Amino acid sequence: MDVGGDLIWGDDSESEVFTQAQSRDVCIIFRYSWNPKFPQSLPRRIVTCYHGLPAEDAWETFPNRGSMREALYASIRGVWDQCTRHPSVTAADVTVEIYEDAERQNQWPRETLYVFKGVDFGAFLESRTDFQHQKDVCYHEIRTISSLPPHPNIIPLSNTFVTVRKIGDDQQAFVCGALYPFMEHGTLDDQIQNTKSTGARLPLISKAAWCFQMASAIAHAHFTAHTYHMDIKPANFVLNARKDLVLIDWEQSGAALYTLAPEADGSWDVKEATTGASYPGITDSTEPKLVYEKYSGPYRENLAWGRPKWNVFPSWRDFYPRALDAAEVFSLGRTMWMLLEQVTQSEVEEREQITVSWSDFAEDIPEDWKGIILPYAVKHYNSLPELRVAKNQFQSAKASEILFTEIGNAFVKHHIENTLGIILLHNHFLLEHYEMLANFDSVAVPWDTTSGSTELMGVNASAWRFTDHGLAPYEFAYTAVEVSLDRQPMQSFLLDLAAILEKWNLTNILGICSLGEKSIDRPATMEFTSGRANITLPFDITPNDGSVIDATWQFSSNPSSSSVHAGQNGQG
């Protein structure tokens, strides 16, 4: 059998020896460990000879390195067929441990399979520059993992490093990688891929646990270790023996574009704008607002071997940690969607644009799991009625009776009355499929969502409607105060409000809108539409001729009677 090799190395603790053997197109790494119980076993003799350890008699070592090498490769040839037939060995780059049974026969235990991750010496032969990059990335990952406080869903630092020595130099060892336990259940992407041939759905209880474990690992990295991962995706979560997720690949040297946040693709810079900054709409706030600006300078590159070419993560970690958090939350959300919808990496890695949507196969996913917020789609705006039709629907449903009782009470109960109001669902005119209605100051006009304009980064949702799949934004405002709808007590309020609207058949009549910094005691305003523009103007006296239709309401508790009353705005 033509099995051979010429690379043998040991560990720093001088208790293990490794060798890389190959035959035809198969290459396997084997390990021999020093065992104090069996001084004359082959693994211990190999370790003793290679590291030059003291031996009490000649049978505990070899007379020279040449005879050691012969015995080593003879033992590999004895188990080679058994190894290559085993699916775990041929399916991944693993390390096989050689030991002897009671009859001094060479064996290899399945439970001691390892994955070697380190420097590819083939790169050294092809390109010194590529080799240097691989070495730098390898060392960076080891340093990063060693700096992370322990967490059950993050790969711990390996306790076995692979080292090599220069020929003739037995003193200085060079780390070329590390051994990690082999996870026979594969990656999360493997789990999803395995369902494609049968159409099976992964258990909901597993998906819930995995989503929690992903979030827990990322939160630990950001808020405990004060670092980041950068390449969050299903393929970087492996399943351990208990089928819990473990986050791997901490090189921080590239990202999958299909889960990378769009603002982190290297074409945007971020700043924190405060009062007095030259950004419209930035007002006094307890926390500065993140403002993203499109980079327009010369070509820049700080990540020659990965994507994106301009890596913003290190600088954002040091100077704009909130931007870093937001970028990784996006990646985490995209990864969770891939799990819940069961989308494989191969289905999205070549796409230029990815639309987060739910297919008929995802009917098993509870609606509140799919996220309380849906991505913008023009259909959510265009499918609304025009104002006078909306008014007639409001009156026919006797919505005002519910508006000032159950609905208003829900706002006050959850202390949302200064953040959100109720809006009469209607459109002003139809939009093209690439447009959104965005308000700036007192004028709302269609904005082109495909223009790539820097102003788009300052647009936030300002009005939402409840749908069968969640809460969908349909109107927007430039530099509007961003409302966090995914936190408590907001989520409890939204669930209560959705139940009230469904109970009284008002889901397609009333929605919610952001109040910004508006006070219930502010002067009333009136909107009117001219062409493809919607204009808001203040007025002092509310007209009584019926030409104005109430369209938005803000609630407040009456301190003297604990009742709820509303401020209104109309449209003519």
Side-chain angles (χ1 to χ4, degrees):
M1 183 185 301
D2 184 21
V3 177
D6 55 8
L7 183 61
I8 301 176
W9 67 95
D11 67 335
D12 287 342
S13 63
E14 298 186 336
S15 62
E16 294 175 331
V17 170
F18 301 85
T19 184
Q20 179 176 287
Q22 61 271 341
S23 177
R24 297 184 178 88
D25 58 346
V26 178
C27 181
I28 303 175
I29 295 176
F30 294 86
R31 181 175 75 168
Y32 298 78
S33 299
W34 194 89
N35 190 326
K37 295 182 179 180
F38 306 106
Q40 295 184 11
S41 68
L42 177 66
R44 173 162 168 170
R45 292 171 64 206
I46 290 175
V47 172
T48 300
C49 179
Y50 180 85
H51 289 292
L53 303 178
E56 293 186 2
D57 62 54
W59 292 105
E60 295 182 5
T61 185
F62 290 93
N64 52 57
R65 287 280 186 98
S67 58
M68 179 206 74
R69 180 184 294 270
E70 272 187 36
L72 183 149
Y73 284 111
S75 69
I76 291 174
R77 285 191 291 270
V79 298
W80 186 262
D81 287 342
Q82 186 183 3
C83 290
T84 55
R85 287 195 302 266
H86 195 284
S88 295
V89 174
T90 57
D93 183 12
V94 302
T95 295
V96 177
E97 174 141 352
I98 298 291
Y99 72 102
E100 288 183 335
D101 62 12
E103 298 180 357
R104 304 290 298 272
Q105 297 296 313
N106 297 323
Q107 302 288 339
W108 62 286
R110 180 179 177 181
E111 62 270 17
T112 55
L113 296 178
Y114 291 86
V115 174
F116 170 72
K117 184 172 186 182
V119 179
D120 177 9
F121 284 98
F124 177 79
L125 301 176
E126 296 177 2
S127 169
R128 181 68 65 90
T129 303
D130 289 350
F131 174 80
Q132 182 65 42
H133 168 69
Q134 285 193 13
K135 183 178 75 71
D136 292 344
V137 168
C138 174
Y139 286 8
H140 177 83
E141 180 179 31
I142 291 173
R143 286 193 296 267
T144 299
I145 296 177
S146 66
S147 70
L148 296 173
H151 188 276
N153 302 115
I154 293 178
I155 191 76
L157 183 66
S158 171
N159 57 11
T160 305
F161 291 98
V162 178
T163 61
V164 294
R165 288 183 171 88
K166 293 181 180 180
I167 297 176
D169 183 358
D170 291 336
Q171 301 302 315
Q172 187 174 12
F174 298 89
V175 174
C176 63
L179 298 182
Y180 295 93
F182 174 64
M183 308 284 188
E184 63 180 275
H185 297 296
T187 70
L188 191 57
D189 185 62
D190 293 330
Q191 295 289 315
I192 298 171
Q193 183 64 55
N194 292 340
T195 67
K196 291 301 179 178
S197 59
T198 62
R201 299 290 293 172
L202 294 168
L204 287 181
I205 191 170
S206 297
K207 289 181 175 180
W210 292 339
C211 285
F212 173 81
Q213 290 166 3
M214 284 190 281
S216 179
I218 299 303
H220 182 79
H222 280 248
F223 304 123
T224 301
H226 304 292
T227 187
Y228 59 91
H229 185 273
M230 187 175 180
D231 195 16
I232 303 169
K233 60 183 180 182
N236 278 341
F237 287 95
V238 296
L239 283 76
N240 63 19
R242 297 183 301 275
K243 291 194 174 181
D244 292 329
L245 291 188
V246 177
L247 183 56
I248 61 171
D249 284 2
W250 288 85
E251 298 97 334
Q252 298 177 331
S253 64
L257 299 185
Y258 55 88
T259 55
L260 180 66
E263 72 271 18
D265 67 358
S267 63
W268 296 90
D269 289 329
V270 66
K271 295 181 179 179
E272 288 186 340
T274 56
T275 303
S278 57
Y279 297 98
I282 302 298
T283 56
D284 289 321
S285 174
T286 58
E287 194 171 35
K289 181 180 176 63
L290 295 174
V291 177
Y292 297 87
E293 295 181 328
K294 194 74 171 180
Y295 177 73
S296 58
Y299 177 77
R300 56 185 184 177
E301 179 179 296
N302 61 2
L303 201 61
W305 281 267
R307 298 183 301 177
K309 290 304 180 183
W310 183 255
N311 182 9
V312 300
F313 282 76
S315 62
W316 286 9
R317 175 196 57 198
D318 296 337
F319 301 107
Y320 306 106
R322 288 194 299 136
L324 180 69
D325 295 345
E328 296 240 279
V329 166
F330 177 96
S331 299
L332 180 62
R334 179 63 59 83
T335 301
M336 289 182 176
W337 167 72
M338 292 178 68
L339 167 61
L340 297 179
E341 174 68 16
Q342 294 185 203
V343 177
T344 64
Q345 174 175 318
S346 60
E347 293 177 274
V348 295
E349 60 185 347
E350 299 300 329
R351 294 189 198 174
E352 292 186 3
Q353 290 187 336
I354 299 174
T355 300
V356 174
S357 60
W358 301 100
S359 68
D360 293 339
F361 295 105
E363 291 181 351
D364 60 322
I365 304 297
E367 293 303 321
D368 55 343
W369 286 28
K370 295 178 181 178
I372 198 68
I373 307 298
L374 291 179
Y376 170 70
V378 72
K379 66 180 181 180
H380 296 311
Y381 175 87
N382 281 347
S383 60
L384 297 177
E386 65 94 18
L387 182 61
R388 297 198 177 276
V389 173
K391 171 193 173 183
N392 293 336
Q393 292 176 345
F394 179 86
Q395 293 174 338
S396 298
K398 298 181 180 180
S400 60
E401 298 177 10
I402 312 302
L403 187 65
F404 299 115
T405 53
E406 289 190 47
I407 292 176
N409 289 333
F411 276 81
V412 174
K413 170 188 172 183
H414 294 282
H415 307 289
I416 306 298
E417 67 272 22
N418 294 321
T419 304
L420 297 176
I422 284 287
I423 188 169
L424 181 64
L425 294 174
H426 64 282
N427 72 36
H428 306 284
F429 40 78
L430 295 180
L431 298 175
E432 298 293 339
H433 68 89
Y434 54 85
E435 292 179 330
M436 66 166 61
L437 187 67
N439 184 83
F440 178 59
D441 200 5
S442 60
V443 179
V445 295
W447 285 32
D448 185 349
T449 61
T450 65
S451 66
S453 170
T454 58
E455 283 76 14
L456 288 171
M457 297 301 293
V459 171
N460 290 311
S462 60
W464 301 262
R465 58 179 297 191
F466 290 91
T467 74
D468 292 338
H469 299 293
L471 196 62
Y474 69 91
E475 287 190 9
F476 300 82
Y478 179 63
T479 66
V481 175
E482 184 174 3
V483 180
S484 297
L485 299 180
D486 57 348
R487 301 177 182 177
Q488 294 290 10
M490 187 65 75
Q491 287 192 346
S492 297
F493 161 73
L494 293 173
L495 291 174
D496 283 356
L497 180 60
I500 294 171
L501 295 179
E502 184 176 0
K503 172 185 174 182
W504 296 103
N505 296 318
L506 298 176
T507 302
N508 294 322
I509 297 176
L510 298 176
I512 56 174
C513 59
S514 171
L515 297 175
E517 298 180 356
K518 298 175 183 176
S519 166
I520 194 169
D521 300 320
R522 72 192 186 282
T525 59
M526 181 180 70
E527 297 180 5
F528 67 92
T529 299
S530 177
R532 300 192 82 218
N534 192 62
I535 303 169
T536 302
L537 297 174
F539 63 96
D540 298 326
I541 301 175
T542 303
N544 296 317
D545 60 2
S547 61
V548 174
I549 300 172
D550 291 334
T552 61
W553 296 266
Q554 179 181 2
F555 301 95
S556 174
S557 60
N558 188 321
S560 61
S561 63
S562 298
S563 62
V564 173
H565 68 284
Q568 300 158 303
N569 288 294
Q571 180 162 344

